[in-house]
Amino acid sequence: MFCEKAVELIRELHRMGDGQLPAFSEDSIRQVLEEMKALYEQNQSDVNEAKCEGKSELIPTIKFRHCCLLRNQRCVAAYLYDRLLRIRALRWEYGSVLPANIRFHMCAEELEWFNQYKKSLATFMRSLGGDEGLDITQDMKPPKSLYIEVRCLKDHGEFEIDDGTVILLKKNSQVYLRIKLSYIHLNTHFFFIDDYFYIIVRLIVLYIAQTLLKK
């Protein structure tokens, strides 16, 4: 039956569910492509015969084969694209080095695509957060508040924030500051952020950056 192998590729992905990567079905892909080649050659022959001999009764068969070609094409494209989306998600879940059992399920082209994607992602992250860059694959959820409680590690004296407010920073004193301001001064060791609040340190802009990068 036409398109049976192509549809089975889609069913295979649905059976695995999100977050799982089935083994690349090279044999099934080859069979679908061979079927498409056979359908195309049959259509070419019938089209030439219909034109030369005026056999209009061949037109419905030609249209049917053409629809099968399009269906196979859509199924293969959907299968390959869905696998790339899963592989991209695995980069955010596991990091730049995938487990061996996952890499075993990827074809050579998918491994090459993954390497290119992780390089692009690394380049983008190096462009954020100053000289040291910023790992946006951490703390995937956006912060719940624009402010965070920070504790001063040493006496710093008066400190003027960007809105003109002057605050006095003494050792072990605790104040509420905007997340962006706290993050800027983390590298200067003025502030220590308690572990309970650490997840809030990441800026909302990181969440926006993650969303834009995934599109």
Side-chain angles (χ1 to χ4, degrees):
M1 182 178 179
F2 293 138
C3 303
E4 185 175 354
K5 284 293 182 181
V7 173
E8 181 59 29
L9 289 173
I10 305 301
R11 289 173 179 165
E12 178 184 340
L13 292 176
H14 280 291
R15 285 195 295 266
M16 294 299 294
D18 295 335
Q20 295 179 307
L21 186 68
F24 184 77
S25 300
E26 184 175 355
D27 290 339
S28 296
I29 292 290
R30 184 183 297 109
Q31 292 177 34
V32 173
L33 295 180
E34 290 175 353
E35 179 182 294
M36 293 176 68
K37 180 181 179 182
L39 289 170
Y40 178 78
E41 291 175 349
Q42 292 170 6
N43 261 8
Q44 284 293 96
S45 177
D46 285 354
V47 167
N48 293 332
E49 187 175 350
K51 286 183 177 180
C52 296
E53 302 180 15
K55 293 185 177 181
S56 59
E57 64 273 13
L58 294 177
I59 294 179
T61 303
I62 294 172
K63 289 182 177 181
F64 173 75
R65 292 199 194 102
H66 183 69
C67 289
C68 292
L69 278 169
L70 294 179
R71 185 176 180 84
N72 279 339
Q73 183 183 42
R74 288 195 298 268
C75 288
V76 171
Y79 175 79
L80 297 176
Y81 180 68
D82 187 87
R83 287 183 60 86
L84 290 183
L85 293 180
R86 293 170 187 247
I87 293 171
R88 184 182 67 179
L90 292 173
R91 164 60 184 88
W92 289 75
E93 180 178 353
Y94 289 100
S96 59
V97 180
L98 294 178
N101 62 321
I102 293 179
R103 295 176 63 88
F104 181 75
H105 288 166
M106 299 165 61
C107 66
E109 290 76 14
E110 289 175 334
L111 287 171
E112 181 180 356
W113 184 89
F114 175 79
N115 291 330
Q116 291 296 327
Y117 176 75
K118 72 179 184 181
K119 289 179 181 178
S120 299
L121 181 59
T123 300
F124 176 74
M125 291 191 295
R126 283 195 298 269
S127 68
L128 302 174
D131 296 335
E132 298 181 0
L134 188 61
D135 188 357
I136 62 174
T137 63
Q138 302 297 319
D139 300 332
M140 300 292 287
K141 295 182 180 180
K144 297 180 180 179
S145 173
L146 294 176
Y147 290 83
I148 187 172
E149 184 179 13
V150 297
R151 179 160 53 90
C152 191
L153 291 177
K154 60 182 180 180
D155 291 331
H156 181 66
E158 292 184 347
F159 179 75
E160 183 177 352
I161 58 180
D162 53 3
D163 65 356
T165 303
V166 177
I167 56 177
L168 182 62
L169 298 177
K170 294 183 179 181
K171 185 177 181 179
N172 295 325
S173 64
Q174 293 181 328
V175 294
Y176 278 93
L177 293 176
R178 285 186 300 167
I179 294 178
K180 181 177 180 181
L181 183 63
S182 303
Y183 183 79
I184 291 173
H185 292 282
L186 276 175
N187 292 332
T188 64
H189 304 291
F190 290 161
F191 305 111
F192 172 79
I193 300 182
D194 294 332
D195 292 339
Y196 180 76
F197 297 100
Y198 180 74
I199 194 173
I200 311 178
V201 174
R202 302 298 180 179
L203 307 178
I204 293 179
V205 69
L206 299 185
Y207 178 71
I208 299 174
Q210 291 168 359
T211 304
L212 293 177
L213 190 61
K214 287 186 175 182
K215 289 183 177 180

